[in-house]
Amino acid sequence: MKYSNNQNWNEIYQNSLVGTLEVDRYQEYKFENYTVQPKNSQSLYIINKEGALTFSNDKRPGQGSVTFGDTQQELGHVNLKAVYTTVKKQGKLSIAKKISENMNLETQMVTQSDKQSSSQAQQSLQSHASREQSKPNNDNGNLQPISISSKLQGTWYAAGLFASKLGDRVQITNNAVDGKTIYKVKKMPNSEKGLNEFRKKYYGKLIGESTPDGVSYIPAQNYGIDTQNYSVDTIDGVQYLMSGSTGPAGIFFKNPTDAARFTNKYKNHNDELMKKLGM
């Protein structure tokens, strides 16, 4: 919910839904640009070599906090009790339970040299994606690029509100978001078996739909789970783009000046912002 626009954590989340997570405990971990080195009382876990979680109280997590990191930097930290409360409020405890059941947790602490440079789970996922993408596309026109409203098209700049980081960008064209084409489905399967075959056949492709004011999509392999959404509206007379999934993830504007102005105006007035957004 908090880092839905972060590439590493978005991939981790998508992988978690299909059971391809490997969680390893380390004394420290070196990514390309920085090293995660927890203090003596903290515990570090690395997920699929893409994300870092540092717990302040591993024996009693509910009484501590967790620090998030990706392959580039430390992102932020949050109280664990607040995490549970938020997930419960959003009605997502069942998904959280499913994710925890999909984890392959290595409880023994190791050093980075003890582990292979890439996890078997990640290799399996990439291999599967490669096989699916190399198959000939014999869908008889079942997938067709969607048409995204001109209202949404262009480059949008994020305000530092919700999970978005000030200055982050999203680019929307007539049928793609950030260069990834979104497809509509001419005929959806009408059985669970057919749906599973659909997920495998179109693995890696984004499936979605559009309206005059928005677009939503999801990777085919996760079809049926929460979608990523973008919609346009106005706040204080200025047009904005809302990003969301299970909840609001970010607000984007057509120019960085507006993004910075709205960040300063509402960063300490979340209740007022939510009210103006109709939430």
Side-chain angles (χ1 to χ4, degrees), residues 207-267:
I207 308 299
E209 56 185 12
S210 62
T211 68
D213 297 311
V215 60
S216 61
Y217 59 90
I218 190 172
Q221 64 270 25
N222 299 323
Y223 193 88
I225 307 173
D226 292 320
T227 59
Q228 172 69 44
N229 306 290
Y230 287 101
S231 60
V232 292
D233 207 330
T234 59
I235 181 172
D236 298 346
V238 179
Q239 188 181 58
Y240 71 90
L241 180 76
M242 170 65 79
S243 166
S245 181
T246 55
I251 301 179
F252 296 75
F253 294 89
K254 276 295 182 73
N255 66 71
T257 301
D258 282 334
R261 180 164 62 87
F262 278 88
T263 299
N264 292 330
K265 183 175 182 178
Y266 289 107
K267 63 181 178 181

Side-chain angles (χ1 to χ4, degrees), residues 3 22 36 53 73 90 97 118 122 156 175 212 219 229 273:
Y3 300 112
E22 181 184 13
V36 185
L53 293 177
Q73 61 185 329
Q90 294 290 335
K97 182 178 180 181
S118 59
Q122 193 72 354
W156 298 81
N175 58 24
N229 306 290
L273 174 61

Side-chain angles (χ1 to χ4, degrees), residues 31-240:
F31 288 109
E32 185 176 349
N33 293 332
Y34 81 113
T35 298
V36 185
Q37 194 168 25
K39 298 177 181 178
N40 292 334
S41 61
Q42 297 177 335
S43 299
L44 168 66
Y45 292 89
I46 301 296
I47 305 179
N48 284 13
K49 308 300 183 288
E50 293 182 306
L53 293 177
T54 304
F55 291 90
S56 67
N57 191 337
D58 195 38
K59 293 183 179 180
R60 296 181 179 178
Q63 298 179 12
S65 63
V66 60
T67 300
F68 290 80
D70 61 8
T71 58
Q72 303 296 318
Q73 61 185 329
E74 180 180 304
L75 297 172
H77 55 270
V78 64
N79 180 279
L80 260 295
K81 191 172 291 186
V83 172
Y84 177 82
T85 301
T86 301
V87 173
K88 182 178 180 180
K89 186 177 181 180
Q90 294 290 335
K92 302 300 179 182
L93 286 181
S94 60
I95 294 180
K97 182 178 180 181
K98 177 183 176 182
I99 291 173
S100 68
E101 292 172 347
N102 286 338
M103 285 186 179
N104 171 22
L105 178 61
E106 174 59 65
T107 58
Q108 181 180 0
M109 188 179 295
V110 296
T111 61
Q112 194 164 351
S113 60
D114 290 333
K115 302 293 290 185
Q116 294 179 348
S117 59
S118 59
S119 70
Q120 292 180 349
Q122 193 72 354
Q123 288 176 339
S124 174
L125 181 69
Q126 293 172 348
S127 176
H128 179 75
S130 178
R131 289 195 303 270
E132 292 299 324
Q133 291 172 358
S134 65
K135 291 181 180 179
N137 187 11
N138 299 319
D139 65 0
N140 296 319
N142 193 39
L143 292 191
Q144 299 176 351
I146 68 171
S147 179
I148 300 177
S149 168
S150 59
K151 292 181 182 179
L152 283 80
Q153 294 180 35
T155 300
W156 298 81
Y157 300 86
L161 301 168
F162 300 114
S164 61
K165 182 179 179 181
L166 179 62
D168 281 350
R169 301 181 186 182
V170 60
Q171 188 169 33
I172 300 177
T173 59
N174 63 320
N175 58 24
V177 174
D178 288 334
K180 297 181 180 179
T181 302
I182 301 171
Y183 297 90
K184 60 182 178 181
V185 183
K186 186 176 180 180
K187 184 178 181 180
M188 279 298 300
N190 55 11
S191 68
E192 187 64 28
K193 180 181 178 181
L195 184 58
N196 288 333
E197 291 175 351
F198 172 88
R199 289 165 174 160
K200 291 179 180 179
K201 181 175 182 179
Y202 298 116
Y203 191 101
K205 292 187 180 297
L206 298 182
I207 308 299
E209 56 185 12
S210 62
T211 68
D213 297 311
V215 60
S216 61
Y217 59 90
I218 190 172
Q221 64 270 25
N222 299 323
Y223 193 88
I225 307 173
D226 292 320
T227 59
Q228 172 69 44
N229 306 290
Y230 287 101
S231 60
V232 292
D233 207 330
T234 59
I235 181 172
D236 298 346
V238 179
Q239 188 181 58
Y240 71 90

